């Protein structure tokens, strides 16, 4: 079984019929669960609707870096209210993105910090988007208690892959794009590394190095669908069933079976999102 730890069934390209059609494809695949991730209030509301409608679906709610320019205190209250729904399992995706200049960095930082503190208050997992903002992302997470002993006390310890247990901060680095050394630091702090279709891209050397360096016990798989379709489907609309190509690539890099990758990453995502 596979668990798509991050996708966007709520994407604007889908109407209700399109989401139903996508749901049939997911239900007929090896994907048992997905997390539909919101980026703005409308998307978050739709993600909750999807999680209510489709048994395989859970939701994450939050304000994306490029959406936080219009955010207000009422927006934060709205996200907090949605987070109380039993199908909502994380605050996300939140973070920083300096690749585009849609929203200035200082505004992004303010809303990133506010949403980390919200997740701490609600004792919920956090899903992070970070692009070209490596140091600031890690600094703000640390400064706002994302890796604190208090936060780690909210969650049971997790297996370390060698028979031991280590603290879990329930911080997921979605579509991870930084170095292996930084990934190992996130793991040391109790974070989880999530990889998607970019792992399979032929010219991508960085993400395979991350997968090689990080124990399977601290990895999850995702699609970020409908974006970032893996090889050999690169350039098409991505869907959750295409995650099998990501799992196959992890198995190749790790020198383990496809089944072991599926079983372990499935268990990791279930643990992260509190799915029985």
């Amino acid at each position: 079984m596979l668990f798509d730890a991050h996708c966007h069934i709520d994407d604007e390209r889908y109407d209700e019929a399109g989401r139903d059609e996508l749901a049939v494809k997911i239900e007929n695949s090896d994907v048992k669960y997905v997390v539909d991730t919101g980026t703005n209030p409308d998307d978050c509301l739709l993600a909750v609707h999807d999680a209510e409608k489709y048994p395989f679906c859970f939701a994450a709610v939050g304000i994306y870096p490029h959406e936080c320019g219009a955010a207000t205190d009422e927006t934060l209250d709205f996200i907090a209210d949605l987070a109380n729904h039993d199908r909502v399992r994380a605050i996300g995706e939140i973070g920083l993105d300096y690749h585009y200049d849609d929203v200035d960095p200082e505004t992004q930082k303010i809303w990133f910090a506010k949403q980390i503190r919200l997740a701490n208050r609600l004792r919920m997992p956090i899903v992070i988007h970070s692009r070209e903002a490596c140091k600031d992302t890690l600094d703000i997470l640390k400064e706002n208690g994302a890796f604190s002993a208090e936060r780690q006390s909210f969650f049971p310890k997790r297996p370390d892959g060698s028979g031991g247990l280590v603290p879990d901060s329930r911080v997921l680095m979605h579509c991870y794009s930084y170095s292996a050394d930084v990934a190992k630091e996130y793991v040391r702090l109790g974070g989880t590394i999530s990889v998607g279709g970019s792992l399979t891209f032929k010219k991508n050397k960085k993400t395979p190095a991350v997968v090689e360096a990080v124990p399977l016990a601290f990895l999850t798989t995702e699609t970020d669908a409908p974006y970032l379709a893996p090889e050999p489907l690169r350039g098409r609309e991505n869907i959750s069933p295409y995650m099998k190509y990501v799992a196959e690539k992890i198995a190749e890099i790790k020198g383990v079976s496809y089944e072991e990758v599926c079983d372990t990453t499935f268990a990791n995502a279930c643990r992260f999102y509190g799915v029985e």
Side-chain angles (χ1 to χ4, degrees), residues 18-93:
R19 291 195 299 278
D20 286 346
E21 183 179 339
L22 178 59
V24 171
K25 293 177 182 177
I26 294 171
E27 289 168 340
N28 290 330
S29 74
D30 290 335
V31 178
K32 184 170 183 179
Y33 298 124
V34 310
V35 172
D36 190 7
T37 308
T39 61
N40 60 48
D42 290 342
D43 284 356
C44 290
L45 193 60
L46 187 52
V48 174
H49 166 77
D50 292 340
E52 291 175 331
K53 183 174 183 179
Y54 307 120
F56 59 81
C57 186
F58 295 92
V61 296
I63 306 302
Y64 183 74
H66 294 152
E67 300 280 355
C68 66
T72 65
D73 288 341
E74 288 73 24
T75 308
L76 196 66
D77 291 341
F78 179 77
I79 295 299
D81 287 344
L82 286 181
N84 287 320
H85 193 289
D86 64 355
R87 300 293 290 183
V88 175
R89 297 306 175 96
I91 300 298
E93 65 187 283

Side-chain angles (χ1 to χ4, degrees), residues 125-203:
I126 312 172
V127 178
I128 305 299
H129 173 103
S130 181
R131 188 177 187 188
E132 298 178 14
C134 184
K135 184 179 185 303
D136 285 353
T137 300
L138 186 53
D139 287 348
I140 292 171
L141 283 164
K142 288 179 177 178
E143 289 163 5
N144 289 276
F147 302 117
S148 66
E150 180 183 13
R151 180 174 169 82
Q152 290 176 347
S153 73
F154 303 158
F155 310 110
K157 290 187 176 181
R158 59 182 176 172
D160 65 1
S162 59
L165 294 173
V166 294
D168 190 352
S169 299
R170 297 284 173 97
V171 173
L172 184 75
M173 300 305 297
H174 139 69
C175 199
Y176 184 82
S177 62
Y178 300 127
S179 72
D181 285 343
V182 173
K184 289 190 286 187
E185 175 65 3
Y186 272 111
V187 167
R188 186 189 69 79
L189 292 167
T192 299
I193 304 299
S194 190
V195 295
S198 60
L199 173 67
T200 69
F201 295 172
K202 293 175 182 177
K203 293 184 179 180

Side-chain angles (χ1 to χ4, degrees), residues 200 230-234 236 245:
T200 69
E231 300 285 0
L233 304 167
R234 188 174 183 182
R236 301 186 190 181
Y245 297 104

Side-chain angles (χ1 to χ4, degrees), residues 31 223 229-230 233 236-247:
V31 178
T223 57
L233 304 167
R236 301 186 190 181
E237 177 184 299
N238 201 5
I239 58 175
S240 293
Y242 294 168
M243 195 170 51
K244 67 179 182 179
Y245 297 104
V246 178

